[in-house]
Amino acid sequence: MVTLSTGSVILVNVAKFLTRRAFSTSRIVEAQQMTVRDALNTGLDEEMERDERVFLLGEEVAMYDGAYKISRGLWKKYGDKRVIDTPITEMGFAGIAVGAAMAGLRPVCEFMTFNFSMQAIDQVINSAAKTFYMSAGKVNVPIVFRGPNGAAAGVAAQHSQCFGAWYSHCPGLKVVSPYTAEDHKGLIKAAIRDPDPVVVLENEILYGVAFPVSDEAMSKDFLVPIGKAKIERPGSHITLVAHSRAVELSLDAAKELAGEGIECEVINLRSIRPLDEETIVKSVIKTNHLITVEQGWPQCGIGSEVCARIMESEAFYHLDAPVIRVTGVDAPMPYTKSLELAALPQPHDIVRAVKRVLNVK
Amino acid sequence: MKAAMRPQDSIISAYRVHGWTYLMGVEPVGVIAELTGRQSGCVRGKGGSMHMYAKNFYGGNGIVGAQVPLGVGVAFAAKYSGTDGVCLALYGDGAANQGQIFEVYNIAKLWDIPCIFVCENNGYGMGTSAERGSASTAFYTRGDYIPGIWVDGMDILAVREATQFAINHCISGKGPLVMETMTYRYSGHSMSDPGTSYRTREEVQDVRQTRDPITSFKEKILTAGLVTADELKKLENDIRVTIDEAVKKAKTDNEIGLDELPCDVYSAPLEPTVRGITPWNNLEHKRLGPAVNLH
């Protein structure tokens, strides 16, 4: 174990500060920053202004300004008709939202967290996802289901589940999981304009995080295409594939590894259905090594799907080592703080996994 | 009910909707060929008995109870868009205890949504009689704070008048209404149910002889001299011909091709193919249907 002198420690910390999130933007010409919360808020506002059929419903979205303040100011601007507080009846209001979409409106249905979406999951899957197919292409359902997904902090088992695997399993749905502020703004707008049901998996911890935002992203017509991943950080030794908060953990790990001469290519999936297989395969062909990173549970998770796709693709023949999944621990989320930290992958877990896959000490 | 509906009104129900599909504008062959899963079915055979759709008719829903929130949503959209339309959301005595129905009774009343909740009480939810399934079988009262009316569902004119009343109630700004129509199911629940293990044959016969809606309406209009027996006979013959032709077509028509299996999963597909049985047989995602909410 190497100990650094005080001067080096200061330098390292300054370097950390300066390079923090430096790679996760499209253009860093302007220094304008935006939190994920504001990005979502702006995206919702712009789409509501653009199309009168767009309306937002959910618990506390109106007068409370949103449980996580995502819809702050929207009720004041658009009024009762377009920003609607619902009673605590997920199955009921999700069904109403789906029916409204079938009849031609463009609802944005908020689940306070996706844990509560389980109450309404029949409406999401059987009513929203399958209707276009069952009606032989007659009735499409232009609805957006959005809300925070996955682990937060200190909310225990019933409030911490990741639903990426559950929703991305179903044909008929499109499922996105943004990371940067630009991702959130572009994808919520793309989701609202999409004529099919889209599930937008946000993350409570990310809401308060600020990202640099390009000029392009400030435009009212800025969209991020659904189904396209983004290479947040190019690299040549190993590919890390992640979605949502796990992208941040992967970038942190990549930074640490870069200091030891290991260059990770970090892919931000942005969408998990469709999954951008092409980008992942191309990357693996280049780096010959792959690790998937997610906060959700391992069995049948997003990492499992990525592994399967790699096995079935040309990339298999370019692997120098088996694909490894870094996931949350396969147990319900504990409340105890130290246990919660240990239940979720941290950057040092990713660093260790990379070194093991690359057979480096 | 259809006689009282205006062009801007909608209807949604569960799976026992073959009659409704016809009433909402689909030709008999479109209904019957959908039952046999052929291409002349109203949704090309892809939906089947439980999933038929037409203009202002939102199915055809297999998960009983789920259609009621959907119906409230359709009515909500009518109010939002200012079309003056109402939505009739139909459900059976079996589904009447679904929690989501009570969830949307609440929202419909709170938000003044022009939805008519129609409970078609035919006495049985599959093989469970209403008395064995519901602590309260007064389904028209189950809306609690939503007013409800009880209607003899075997009397065609009563149902028409009640529906007229219900529509007027909704469009005059009085909010939603519950309407229980008392009827009866002669046959079993489905093709695999003879319908005799949970009730007596005498019960079925008795209803058929004394309360049949078509027979009693026929007697009414004959007695009132509105129509002659010969006219009715001709009508019945004409109908029989149409139905026979439809059945013939439904039995002999082709199914859609395998290329339609991956068709219309999405109205705006983002990938050109759909994963097949193996990674070597990916299927081309095609777009065929009109996608009424595309733009």
Side-chain angles (χ1 to χ4, degrees), chain A residues 97-147:
Chain A
V98 175
M102 287 178 180
L105 297 185
R106 299 290 191 269
V108 177
C109 177
E110 176 177 303
F111 291 121
M112 198 184 277
T113 79
F114 268 96
N115 300 284
F116 315 146
S117 74
M118 282 198 283
Q119 303 247 310
I121 200 163
D122 177 64
Q123 296 289 3
V124 179
I125 307 300
N126 279 321
S127 301
K130 297 180 187 173
T131 292
F132 190 60
Y133 189 84
M134 293 191 299
S135 66
K138 271 196 176 81
V139 184
N140 63 304
V141 186
I143 190 170
V144 172
F145 298 101
R146 55 156 293 272

Tab-separated table of all heavy atoms in Angstrom, chain A residues 97-147:
chain	number	residue	atom	x	y	z
A	97	ALA	N	-55.419	6.836	-16.655
A	97	ALA	CA	-54.427	7.425	-17.557
A	97	ALA	C	-54.343	6.618	-18.855
A	97	ALA	O	-54.304	7.188	-19.948
A	97	ALA	CB	-53.068	7.490	-16.876
A	98	VAL	N	-54.337	5.297	-18.752
A	98	VAL	CA	-54.256	4.450	-19.949
A	98	VAL	C	-55.505	4.642	-20.817
A	98	VAL	O	-55.409	4.779	-22.038
A	98	VAL	CB	-54.084	2.962	-19.584
A	98	VAL	CG1	-54.119	2.083	-20.828
A	98	VAL	CG2	-52.777	2.738	-18.841
A	99	GLY	N	-56.677	4.682	-20.197
A	99	GLY	CA	-57.917	4.906	-20.950
A	99	GLY	C	-57.897	6.249	-21.652
A	99	GLY	O	-58.313	6.372	-22.811
A	100	ALA	N	-57.387	7.264	-20.968
A	100	ALA	CA	-57.301	8.597	-21.577
A	100	ALA	C	-56.362	8.569	-22.785
A	100	ALA	O	-56.616	9.220	-23.798
A	100	ALA	CB	-56.824	9.617	-20.549
A	101	ALA	N	-55.284	7.798	-22.688
A	101	ALA	CA	-54.342	7.684	-23.802
A	101	ALA	C	-54.994	6.951	-24.972
A	101	ALA	O	-54.827	7.332	-26.129
A	101	ALA	CB	-53.080	6.950	-23.361
A	102	MET	N	-55.757	5.906	-24.676
A	102	MET	CA	-56.454	5.176	-25.740
A	102	MET	C	-57.402	6.094	-26.478
A	102	MET	O	-57.626	5.956	-27.686
A	102	MET	CB	-57.263	4.012	-25.166
A	102	MET	CG	-56.444	2.850	-24.693
A	102	MET	SD	-57.561	1.598	-24.010
A	102	MET	CE	-56.381	0.356	-23.530
A	103	ALA	N	-57.972	7.063	-25.736
A	103	ALA	CA	-58.931	7.985	-26.337
A	103	ALA	C	-58.251	9.212	-26.932
A	103	ALA	O	-58.925	10.138	-27.355
A	103	ALA	CB	-59.969	8.397	-25.296
A	104	GLY	N	-56.923	9.232	-26.978
A	104	GLY	CA	-56.220	10.269	-27.741
A	104	GLY	C	-55.463	11.322	-26.964
A	104	GLY	O	-54.777	12.154	-27.572
A	105	LEU	N	-55.547	11.308	-25.629
A	105	LEU	CA	-54.756	12.296	-24.889
A	105	LEU	C	-53.327	11.783	-24.722
A	105	LEU	O	-53.002	10.673	-25.123
A	105	LEU	CB	-55.398	12.574	-23.521
A	105	LEU	CG	-56.797	13.192	-23.545
A	105	LEU	CD1	-57.276	13.519	-22.139
A	105	LEU	CD2	-56.833	14.451	-24.413
A	106	ARG	N	-52.483	12.604	-24.098
A	106	ARG	CA	-51.076	12.243	-23.918
A	106	ARG	C	-50.716	12.344	-22.440
A	106	ARG	O	-50.050	13.284	-22.016
A	106	ARG	CB	-50.175	13.190	-24.727
A	106	ARG	CG	-50.408	13.157	-26.235
A	106	ARG	CD	-49.923	11.863	-26.819
A	106	ARG	NE	-49.851	11.813	-28.268
A	106	ARG	CZ	-50.827	11.408	-29.074
A	106	ARG	NH1	-51.997	11.068	-28.571
A	106	ARG	NH2	-50.633	11.358	-30.374
A	107	PRO	N	-51.168	11.382	-21.632
A	107	PRO	CA	-50.948	11.490	-20.190
A	107	PRO	C	-49.509	11.180	-19.766
A	107	PRO	O	-48.849	10.324	-20.360
A	107	PRO	CB	-51.891	10.431	-19.601
A	107	PRO	CG	-52.396	9.620	-20.726
A	107	PRO	CD	-51.944	10.211	-22.010
A	108	VAL	N	-49.060	11.886	-18.731
A	108	VAL	CA	-47.821	11.528	-18.045
A	108	VAL	C	-48.264	11.077	-16.655
A	108	VAL	O	-48.746	11.871	-15.859
A	108	VAL	CB	-46.857	12.724	-17.951
A	108	VAL	CG1	-45.602	12.332	-17.166
A	108	VAL	CG2	-46.477	13.206	-19.345
A	109	CYS	N	-48.120	9.790	-16.410
A	109	CYS	CA	-48.607	9.212	-15.152
A	109	CYS	C	-47.432	9.018	-14.219
A	109	CYS	O	-46.526	8.231	-14.514
A	109	CYS	CB	-49.298	7.875	-15.442
A	109	CYS	SG	-49.865	7.013	-13.964
A	110	GLU	N	-47.436	9.749	-13.114
A	110	GLU	CA	-46.314	9.616	-12.187
A	110	GLU	C	-46.607	8.578	-11.112
A	110	GLU	O	-47.674	8.593	-10.485
A	110	GLU	CB	-46.016	10.967	-11.511
A	110	GLU	CG	-44.903	10.864	-10.462
A	110	GLU	CD	-44.531	12.191	-9.823
A	110	GLU	OE1	-44.170	13.129	-10.566
A	110	GLU	OE2	-44.597	12.277	-8.586
A	111	PHE	N	-45.668	7.692	-10.899
A	111	PHE	CA	-45.700	6.823	-9.720
A	111	PHE	C	-44.722	7.432	-8.739
A	111	PHE	O	-43.573	7.717	-9.094
A	111	PHE	CB	-45.256	5.404	-10.069
A	111	PHE	CG	-46.226	4.658	-10.936
A	111	PHE	CD1	-45.852	4.170	-12.176
A	111	PHE	CD2	-47.534	4.435	-10.506
A	111	PHE	CE1	-46.757	3.485	-12.975
A	111	PHE	CE2	-48.441	3.757	-11.298
A	111	PHE	CZ	-48.051	3.283	-12.547
A	112	MET	N	-45.154	7.667	-7.525
A	112	MET	CA	-44.278	8.340	-6.572
A	112	MET	C	-42.942	7.619	-6.425
A	112	MET	O	-41.906	8.235	-6.285
A	112	MET	CB	-44.958	8.523	-5.214
A	112	MET	CG	-44.255	9.571	-4.375
A	112	MET	SD	-44.951	9.726	-2.732
A	112	MET	CE	-46.325	10.816	-3.068
A	113	THR	N	-42.982	6.324	-6.415
A	113	THR	CA	-41.798	5.523	-6.735
A	113	THR	C	-42.314	4.328	-7.513
A	113	THR	O	-43.495	3.982	-7.412
A	113	THR	CB	-41.019	5.008	-5.506
A	113	THR	OG1	-41.692	3.867	-4.951
A	113	THR	CG2	-40.840	6.073	-4.441
A	114	PHE	N	-41.431	3.693	-8.263
A	114	PHE	CA	-41.899	2.553	-9.045
A	114	PHE	C	-42.283	1.358	-8.175
A	114	PHE	O	-42.941	0.431	-8.646
A	114	PHE	CB	-40.876	2.173	-10.123
A	114	PHE	CG	-41.163	2.871	-11.431
A	114	PHE	CD1	-40.523	4.054	-11.766
A	114	PHE	CD2	-42.136	2.366	-12.287
A	114	PHE	CE1	-40.823	4.722	-12.944
A	114	PHE	CE2	-42.442	3.026	-13.474
A	114	PHE	CZ	-41.790	4.211	-13.798
A	115	ASN	N	-41.899	1.388	-6.903
A	115	ASN	CA	-42.367	0.331	-6.006
A	115	ASN	C	-43.889	0.311	-5.984
A	115	ASN	O	-44.514	-0.739	-5.908
A	115	ASN	CB	-41.842	0.569	-4.579
A	115	ASN	CG	-40.332	0.572	-4.519
A	115	ASN	OD1	-39.686	-0.467	-4.571
A	115	ASN	ND2	-39.751	1.766	-4.444
A	116	PHE	N	-44.498	1.510	-6.050
A	116	PHE	CA	-45.957	1.588	-5.988
A	116	PHE	C	-46.589	1.194	-7.314
A	116	PHE	O	-47.797	0.945	-7.384
A	116	PHE	CB	-46.400	2.994	-5.567
A	116	PHE	CG	-45.627	3.550	-4.402
A	116	PHE	CD1	-45.348	4.897	-4.310
A	116	PHE	CD2	-45.163	2.716	-3.385
A	116	PHE	CE1	-44.619	5.415	-3.243
A	116	PHE	CE2	-44.440	3.217	-2.315
A	116	PHE	CZ	-44.163	4.582	-2.249
A	117	SER	N	-45.790	1.156	-8.354
A	117	SER	CA	-46.342	0.775	-9.652
A	117	SER	C	-46.788	-0.678	-9.663
A	117	SER	O	-47.593	-1.079	-10.497
A	117	SER	CB	-45.329	0.993	-10.772
A	117	SER	OG	-44.315	-0.006	-10.743
A	118	MET	N	-46.302	-1.459	-8.730
A	118	MET	CA	-46.735	-2.862	-8.672
A	118	MET	C	-48.237	-2.954	-8.442
A	118	MET	O	-48.895	-3.889	-8.855
A	118	MET	CB	-45.992	-3.623	-7.567
A	118	MET	CG	-44.588	-4.013	-7.962
A	118	MET	SD	-43.928	-5.312	-6.925
A	118	MET	CE	-43.505	-4.393	-5.452
A	119	GLN	N	-48.778	-1.942	-7.752
A	119	GLN	CA	-50.218	-1.913	-7.511
A	119	GLN	C	-50.979	-1.778	-8.829
A	119	GLN	O	-52.124	-2.171	-8.940
A	119	GLN	CB	-50.561	-0.700	-6.636
A	119	GLN	CG	-49.822	-0.683	-5.321
A	119	GLN	CD	-50.750	-0.881	-4.152
A	119	GLN	OE1	-51.755	-0.205	-4.061
A	119	GLN	NE2	-50.458	-1.835	-3.304
A	120	ALA	N	-50.316	-1.170	-9.804
A	120	ALA	CA	-50.982	-0.836	-11.059
A	120	ALA	C	-50.431	-1.614	-12.236
A	120	ALA	O	-50.787	-1.334	-13.376
A	120	ALA	CB	-50.801	0.660	-11.327
A	121	ILE	N	-49.558	-2.582	-11.963
A	121	ILE	CA	-48.782	-3.170	-13.054
A	121	ILE	C	-49.662	-3.844	-14.100
A	121	ILE	O	-49.313	-3.890	-15.279
A	121	ILE	CB	-47.681	-4.100	-12.499
A	121	ILE	CG1	-46.587	-4.311	-13.535
A	121	ILE	CG2	-48.249	-5.417	-11.997
A	121	ILE	CD1	-45.297	-4.862	-12.961
A	122	ASP	N	-50.838	-4.320	-13.733
A	122	ASP	CA	-51.747	-4.908	-14.715
A	122	ASP	C	-52.135	-3.880	-15.769
A	122	ASP	O	-52.239	-4.185	-16.954
A	122	ASP	CB	-52.993	-5.453	-14.020
A	122	ASP	CG	-54.002	-6.007	-15.007
A	122	ASP	OD1	-53.667	-6.998	-15.688
A	122	ASP	OD2	-55.100	-5.441	-15.134
A	123	GLN	N	-52.364	-2.648	-15.345
A	123	GLN	CA	-52.741	-1.612	-16.309
A	123	GLN	C	-51.564	-1.274	-17.224
A	123	GLN	O	-51.743	-0.998	-18.410
A	123	GLN	CB	-53.227	-0.338	-15.574
A	123	GLN	CG	-54.487	-0.541	-14.757
A	123	GLN	CD	-55.740	-0.734	-15.608
A	123	GLN	OE1	-55.682	-0.782	-16.844
A	123	GLN	NE2	-56.893	-0.861	-14.959
A	124	VAL	N	-50.328	-1.292	-16.667
A	124	VAL	CA	-49.154	-0.972	-17.480
A	124	VAL	C	-48.927	-2.053	-18.533
A	124	VAL	O	-48.692	-1.765	-19.708
A	124	VAL	CB	-47.890	-0.821	-16.603
A	124	VAL	CG1	-46.670	-0.514	-17.468
A	124	VAL	CG2	-48.077	0.270	-15.568
A	125	ILE	N	-49.012	-3.310	-18.112
A	125	ILE	CA	-48.687	-4.412	-19.012
A	125	ILE	C	-49.884	-4.825	-19.864
A	125	ILE	O	-49.844	-4.801	-21.095
A	125	ILE	CB	-48.182	-5.630	-18.215
A	125	ILE	CG1	-47.030	-5.253	-17.291
A	125	ILE	CG2	-47.793	-6.748	-19.157
A	125	ILE	CD1	-45.810	-4.697	-17.981
A	126	ASN	N	-50.984	-5.219	-19.215
A	126	ASN	CA	-52.101	-5.775	-19.970
A	126	ASN	C	-52.934	-4.735	-20.700
A	126	ASN	O	-53.505	-5.022	-21.753
A	126	ASN	CB	-52.991	-6.617	-19.058
A	126	ASN	CG	-52.417	-8.011	-18.846
A	126	ASN	OD1	-51.883	-8.609	-19.774
A	126	ASN	ND2	-52.515	-8.523	-17.636
A	127	SER	N	-53.035	-3.535	-20.143
A	127	SER	CA	-53.825	-2.520	-20.836
A	127	SER	C	-52.958	-1.668	-21.749
A	127	SER	O	-53.270	-1.480	-22.921
A	127	SER	CB	-54.549	-1.623	-19.830
A	127	SER	OG	-55.391	-2.384	-19.001
A	128	ALA	N	-51.834	-1.164	-21.224
A	128	ALA	CA	-51.026	-0.262	-22.053
A	128	ALA	C	-50.160	-1.024	-23.056
A	128	ALA	O	-50.249	-0.797	-24.267
A	128	ALA	CB	-50.161	0.637	-21.176
A	129	ALA	N	-49.330	-1.942	-22.577
A	129	ALA	CA	-48.330	-2.547	-23.467
A	129	ALA	C	-48.935	-3.410	-24.573
A	129	ALA	O	-48.446	-3.424	-25.700
A	129	ALA	CB	-47.338	-3.375	-22.657
A	130	LYS	N	-49.995	-4.138	-24.257
A	130	LYS	CA	-50.456	-5.158	-25.205
A	130	LYS	C	-51.569	-4.705	-26.151
A	130	LYS	O	-51.854	-5.380	-27.138
A	130	LYS	CB	-50.940	-6.395	-24.447
A	130	LYS	CG	-49.832	-7.074	-23.643
A	130	LYS	CD	-50.364	-8.290	-22.901
A	130	LYS	CE	-49.302	-8.870	-21.969
A	130	LYS	NZ	-49.849	-9.952	-21.124
A	131	THR	N	-52.234	-3.592	-25.847
A	131	THR	CA	-53.429	-3.231	-26.605
A	131	THR	C	-53.160	-2.998	-28.079
A	131	THR	O	-53.960	-3.398	-28.928
A	131	THR	CB	-54.110	-2.005	-25.970
A	131	THR	OG1	-54.631	-2.404	-24.703
A	131	THR	CG2	-55.251	-1.491	-26.822
A	132	PHE	N	-52.054	-2.358	-28.431
A	132	PHE	CA	-51.798	-2.094	-29.845
A	132	PHE	C	-51.727	-3.401	-30.625
A	132	PHE	O	-52.303	-3.533	-31.705
A	132	PHE	CB	-50.506	-1.290	-30.010
A	132	PHE	CG	-50.294	-0.777	-31.405
A	132	PHE	CD1	-51.217	0.074	-31.989
A	132	PHE	CD2	-49.173	-1.148	-32.144
A	132	PHE	CE1	-51.030	0.554	-33.284
A	132	PHE	CE2	-48.981	-0.680	-33.432
A	132	PHE	CZ	-49.909	0.174	-34.005
A	133	TYR	N	-51.044	-4.370	-30.063
A	133	TYR	CA	-50.908	-5.672	-30.732
A	133	TYR	C	-52.249	-6.391	-30.817
A	133	TYR	O	-52.629	-6.901	-31.866
A	133	TYR	CB	-49.895	-6.537	-29.979
A	133	TYR	CG	-49.523	-7.803	-30.696
A	133	TYR	CD1	-48.531	-7.805	-31.678
A	133	TYR	CD2	-50.148	-9.012	-30.405
A	133	TYR	CE1	-48.172	-8.972	-32.345
A	133	TYR	CE2	-49.803	-10.180	-31.066
A	133	TYR	CZ	-48.811	-10.163	-32.042
A	133	TYR	OH	-48.458	-11.308	-32.696
A	134	MET	N	-52.980	-6.432	-29.703
A	134	MET	CA	-54.252	-7.159	-29.662
A	134	MET	C	-55.279	-6.556	-30.602
A	134	MET	O	-56.170	-7.250	-31.091
A	134	MET	CB	-54.839	-7.153	-28.240
A	134	MET	CG	-54.031	-7.938	-27.234
A	134	MET	SD	-54.899	-8.171	-25.678
A	134	MET	CE	-55.159	-6.497	-25.111
A	135	SER	N	-55.154	-5.245	-30.840
A	135	SER	CA	-56.126	-4.582	-31.710
A	135	SER	C	-55.622	-4.546	-33.150
A	135	SER	O	-56.116	-3.768	-33.963
A	135	SER	CB	-56.391	-3.158	-31.212
A	135	SER	OG	-55.222	-2.363	-31.342
A	136	ALA	N	-54.649	-5.393	-33.467
A	136	ALA	CA	-54.065	-5.468	-34.819
A	136	ALA	C	-53.675	-4.081	-35.315
A	136	ALA	O	-53.950	-3.710	-36.439
A	136	ALA	CB	-55.030	-6.154	-35.789
A	137	GLY	N	-53.029	-3.313	-34.420
A	137	GLY	CA	-52.501	-2.025	-34.845
A	137	GLY	C	-53.518	-0.906	-34.915
A	137	GLY	O	-53.249	0.137	-35.520
A	138	LYS	N	-54.677	-1.069	-34.274
A	138	LYS	CA	-55.680	-0.003	-34.293
A	138	LYS	C	-55.414	1.018	-33.196
A	138	LYS	O	-55.297	2.209	-33.438
A	138	LYS	CB	-57.080	-0.587	-34.060
A	138	LYS	CG	-57.831	-1.017	-35.295
A	138	LYS	CD	-59.324	-1.194	-34.953
A	138	LYS	CE	-60.201	-1.537	-36.141
A	138	LYS	NZ	-60.209	-2.943	-36.560
A	139	VAL	N	-55.357	0.537	-31.945
A	139	VAL	CA	-55.345	1.443	-30.793
A	139	VAL	C	-53.960	1.509	-30.164
A	139	VAL	O	-53.583	0.621	-29.391
A	139	VAL	CB	-56.373	0.982	-29.734
A	139	VAL	CG1	-56.446	1.979	-28.584
A	139	VAL	CG2	-57.747	0.782	-30.357
A	140	ASN	N	-53.209	2.559	-30.500
A	140	ASN	CA	-51.932	2.725	-29.820
A	140	ASN	C	-52.129	3.551	-28.555
A	140	ASN	O	-53.119	4.284	-28.429
A	140	ASN	CB	-50.869	3.340	-30.739
A	140	ASN	CG	-51.227	4.736	-31.205
A	140	ASN	OD1	-52.298	4.941	-31.784
A	140	ASN	ND2	-50.372	5.693	-30.915
A	141	VAL	N	-51.232	3.408	-27.615
A	141	VAL	CA	-51.417	3.982	-26.273
A	141	VAL	C	-50.256	4.921	-25.962
A	141	VAL	O	-49.230	4.514	-25.431
A	141	VAL	CB	-51.489	2.842	-25.224
A	141	VAL	CG1	-51.816	3.395	-23.841
A	141	VAL	CG2	-52.537	1.809	-25.631
A	142	PRO	N	-50.409	6.211	-26.270
A	142	PRO	CA	-49.298	7.162	-26.126
A	142	PRO	C	-49.169	7.683	-24.699
A	142	PRO	O	-49.387	8.857	-24.432
A	142	PRO	CB	-49.681	8.274	-27.107
A	142	PRO	CG	-51.173	8.242	-27.167
A	142	PRO	CD	-51.599	6.834	-26.919
A	143	ILE	N	-48.760	6.823	-23.788
A	143	ILE	CA	-48.688	7.199	-22.380
A	143	ILE	C	-47.251	7.144	-21.881
A	143	ILE	O	-46.428	6.394	-22.404
A	143	ILE	CB	-49.586	6.263	-21.528
A	143	ILE	CG1	-49.721	6.779	-20.090
A	143	ILE	CG2	-49.057	4.831	-21.538
A	143	ILE	CD1	-50.772	6.053	-19.274
A	144	VAL	N	-46.940	7.952	-20.887
A	144	VAL	CA	-45.644	7.893	-20.216
A	144	VAL	C	-45.892	7.579	-18.755
A	144	VAL	O	-46.725	8.207	-18.105
A	144	VAL	CB	-44.889	9.243	-20.324
A	144	VAL	CG1	-43.626	9.232	-19.464
A	144	VAL	CG2	-44.548	9.538	-21.774
A	145	PHE	N	-45.197	6.558	-18.252
A	145	PHE	CA	-45.190	6.275	-16.810
A	145	PHE	C	-43.815	6.701	-16.314
A	145	PHE	O	-42.801	6.237	-16.837
A	145	PHE	CB	-45.369	4.776	-16.542
A	145	PHE	CG	-46.671	4.213	-17.023
A	145	PHE	CD1	-46.738	3.490	-18.206
A	145	PHE	CD2	-47.836	4.389	-16.278
A	145	PHE	CE1	-47.943	2.960	-18.651
A	145	PHE	CE2	-49.048	3.862	-16.726
A	145	PHE	CZ	-49.096	3.152	-17.914
A	146	ARG	N	-43.767	7.578	-15.331
A	146	ARG	CA	-42.452	8.006	-14.850
A	146	ARG	C	-42.420	8.082	-13.338
A	146	ARG	O	-43.440	8.167	-12.674
A	146	ARG	CB	-42.068	9.360	-15.466
A	146	ARG	CG	-43.061	10.490	-15.283
A	146	ARG	CD	-42.374	11.848	-15.377
A	146	ARG	NE	-41.482	12.036	-14.252
A	146	ARG	CZ	-41.862	12.561	-13.077
A	146	ARG	NH1	-43.093	12.984	-12.904
A	146	ARG	NH2	-40.994	12.681	-12.090
A	147	GLY	N	-41.189	8.081	-12.809
A	147	GLY	CA	-41.007	8.206	-11.363
A	147	GLY	C	-39.652	7.653	-10.971
A	147	GLY	O	-38.935	7.088	-11.805
